Amino acid sequence: MASVEDAAAKMVGDKYRSFLYDEGEKSTEWRHGGREGLLGEETLRIGNYNALLKSSLPKEFQYYKAEEETFESSHEAFRSAFPRGFAWEVLGVYTGPPETVFKFRHWGFFEGPFNGHAPTGEMAQFFGLATLKIVVRTAGREGLYGEETIRLGTYNALLKSCMPKEFQYYKAEEETFESSHEIFGSAFPRGFAWEVLRVYTGPPEIVFKFRHWGFFEGPFNGHAPTGEMAQFFGFATLKVDESLRVEEVEIYFDPAELFGGLLKGPPISESHHDGGATHGCPLSKQLV
């Protein structure tokens, strides 16, 4: 039987498997994805809104530019938008110390202006799972049955957004099962790997951390590939019955982690004119 050392030797130079080998020892190098962690003092200096809403997306796709706001201006913006307060509540605690995992909701009634947008009076909210080290979030959405998820396609089901269309960098409602898989299949011609990084609780409600990643080597929505790794991290809960059949799944992640890498490439029309030679996909011209 081959030893661990033999297996490791075979992975040398393998762009994919080298990232999968012995991740437990290397996790601190990449667990925050495209963002660096913040020390407590820095979070206090820039403000919790700016710390949590800082985005890896190109500026033209950011609907809140955290890097341009101060502690005071960010709090003023959200106080104005939610004059009756922006409530935060813990919905469930899954593990105890030293690494506590809990589910939360942040919500309020949008009754004041926000970044030039008039208030609607409706509730605005997001849900998330958190540990002492990482926070992930997603907008509040209604759940989908398994049949509907299969019909829409997993990409469209997970990337559907409640943002106004002008702020959506992927319009899931305009894509079909087939077109969504074509888009991501072209962007990641060698595959879009999914891996479980850590499991916090056992059945009947399993909580785990995951990573979805691949090398951006094909065009994405008119953007040329960079050849770099694009990835995002997230948490999920999985409720199972006594036979371990899945009854309910909840997934929490920040899509900006992924799209920050996919929108980094220049528009394909520009890259054709600048003499760039970074296009390795034969479908590029078809997708312009």
Side-chain angles (χ1 to χ4, degrees):
M1 181 179 294
S3 66
V4 173
E5 290 77 11
D6 292 336
K10 291 180 181 179
M11 294 174 191
V12 174
D14 187 316
K15 202 171 183 181
Y16 265 82
R17 293 181 61 80
S18 61
F19 280 87
L20 289 171
Y21 179 68
D22 202 16
E23 286 292 3
E25 295 181 4
K26 301 189 298 180
S27 60
T28 53
E29 296 178 9
W30 47 255
R31 68 183 301 168
H32 294 288
R35 291 183 49 188
E36 295 181 357
L38 297 176
L39 298 176
E41 295 81 359
E42 188 176 359
T43 300
L44 290 175
R45 179 181 62 79
I46 67 175
N48 55 345
Y49 289 119
N50 293 333
L52 293 175
L53 296 176
K54 183 179 178 182
S55 175
S56 55
L57 284 166
K59 280 195 175 182
E60 62 267 27
F61 296 105
Q62 293 178 23
Y63 37 86
Y64 177 78
K65 297 178 174 59
E67 293 181 351
E68 298 179 4
E69 301 292 339
T70 64
F71 180 105
E72 293 76 12
S73 67
S74 66
H75 280 259
E76 178 59 33
F78 284 93
R79 274 198 300 265
S80 297
F82 302 101
R84 286 194 285 165
F86 196 28
W88 189 89
E89 60 181 314
V90 174
L91 301 178
V93 178
Y94 298 101
T95 64
E99 190 162 4
T100 305
V101 179
F102 59 93
K103 180 179 177 181
F104 66 88
R105 178 172 74 130
H106 219 339
W107 63 280
F109 289 94
F110 180 28
E111 299 172 323
F114 180 79
N115 276 5
H117 288 263
T120 63
E122 299 175 356
M123 178 187 289
Q125 63 181 347
F126 66 86
F127 297 83
L129 286 180
T131 70
L132 294 179
K133 295 179 181 178
I134 297 177
V135 176
V136 290
R137 59 195 179 272
T138 185
R141 287 178 44 193
E142 294 182 359
L144 297 174
Y145 288 105
E147 294 81 359
E148 188 174 2
T149 301
I150 292 173
R151 179 180 61 79
L152 292 173
T154 49
Y155 289 119
N156 292 334
L158 292 175
L159 296 175
K160 184 179 179 182
S161 174
C162 60
M163 295 293 295
K165 280 197 174 182
E166 63 266 28
F167 295 113
Q168 293 179 22
Y169 28 81
Y170 175 77
K171 297 177 174 60
E173 294 180 351
E174 297 179 4
E175 302 295 338
T176 65
F177 180 104
E178 292 77 12
S179 68
S180 66
H181 280 262
E182 176 63 27
I183 287 171
F184 287 95
S186 296
F188 301 105
R190 289 193 290 157
F192 194 26
W194 188 88
E195 58 182 314
V196 174
L197 302 177
R198 185 165 182 179
V199 179
Y200 296 97
T201 64
E205 188 160 5
I206 303 165
V207 179
F208 60 92
K209 178 182 175 183
F210 67 86
R211 176 171 75 133
H212 219 334
W213 62 280
F215 288 94
F216 180 28
E217 298 172 325
F220 177 81
N221 276 7
H223 288 261
T226 64
E228 299 175 357
M229 179 189 289
Q231 63 181 346
F232 66 88
F233 298 80
F235 281 94
T237 65
L238 189 69
K239 290 183 181 178
V240 297
D241 62 16
E242 293 179 353
S243 300
L244 298 182
R245 291 176 300 190
V246 177
E247 294 182 325
E248 185 177 329
V249 180
E250 293 182 1
I251 298 176
Y252 301 91
F253 66 98
D254 184 356
E257 278 190 282
L258 170 64
F259 289 110
L262 294 177
L263 298 174
K264 215 163 135 184
I268 290 175
S269 56
E270 291 182 11
S271 57
H272 281 171
H273 294 311
D274 65 13
T278 58
H279 318 117
C281 180
L283 297 177
S284 298
K285 293 182 180 180
Q286 298 177 28
L287 297 178
V288 172

